[in-house]
Amino acid sequence: MLKIEIFPENAQVESRSIPAKDNKPPRNIYEQIAYAYLGGKFPVEMKLQLEQGQPAYVAGTYTLHPSSFVINQYGSLELKRFGILITPTNDK
């Protein structure tokens, strides 16, 4: 199980704007900082993309929701590029 942690100082949504480019309109990106435990000495900082209006995840520990995975065109398991969801764990 992949452990993801959100610390109290990261329990808010951060937004940034991407300017218009190549006939594509500008857009806003909504993110939240989290940390993934990948087996090293320290967790690794990552960004969770959120939908517009989606509330920030509260501080705590999480794992990836099963809907965050897809089977690609080669039959291999893959993490979705967009729409990743996390669910709280029972860790204290």
Side-chain angles (χ1 to χ4, degrees), residues 12-18 27-32 50 52:
Q12 74 276 342
V13 177
E14 297 178 2
S15 65
R16 60 186 170 99
S17 297
I18 296 178
R27 59 186 197 141
N28 292 318
I29 303 292
Y30 303 95
E31 302 171 318
Q32 185 172 1
L50 305 173
Q52 182 176 1

Side-chain angles (χ1 to χ4, degrees), residues 36-67:
Y37 290 81
L38 301 176
K41 187 173 183 179
F42 301 105
V44 179
E45 184 177 303
M46 60 176 281
K47 293 179 182 177
L48 291 169
Q49 287 206 352
L50 305 173
E51 296 293 324
Q52 182 176 1
Q54 180 181 353
Y57 290 101
V58 298
T61 58
Y62 296 82
T63 191
L64 289 170
H65 187 274
S67 68

